[in-house]
Amino acid sequence: QVYLEISIQNPSSSPLTGVAFVDVLPASPGALSGVSVSSVGSGCPVCNITSTQVSLAGGVIPATSACVCRARLLAVQAG
């Protein structure tokens, strides 16, 4: 089991809009599969997870805040 955290900080006094990212998981060897994802922080957008990537599209990060996307991943083959 592996945990991946992506933190986005907004030091501005205005909300940060249109926030997006895609983090592609390694294909092989020792390929990972997304199991669960959570977002941490007040008013933070929800991240998405599939078997191949962790992503966020069209997110809004509140003013002077930070949001963290936490993904729990599992290795699908030994190695």
Side-chain angles (χ1 to χ4, degrees):
Q1 165 161 274
V2 176
Y3 291 90
L4 169 70
E5 280 192 358
I6 298 171
S7 178
I8 303 168
Q9 298 194 14
N10 178 12
S12 172
S13 60
S14 301
L16 185 60
T17 61
V19 176
F21 70 82
V22 174
D23 189 2
V24 178
L25 302 175
S28 64
L32 298 172
S33 177
V35 174
S36 64
V37 69
S38 62
S39 296
V40 179
S42 178
C44 290
V46 176
C47 299
N48 302 301
I49 192 167
T50 68
S51 62
T52 59
Q53 67 185 28
V54 178
S55 64
L56 174 67
V60 176
I61 309 301
T64 63
S65 294
C67 294
V68 177
C69 176
R70 289 187 180 146
R72 184 169 68 100
L73 310 167
L74 292 177
V76 294
Q77 64 186 21

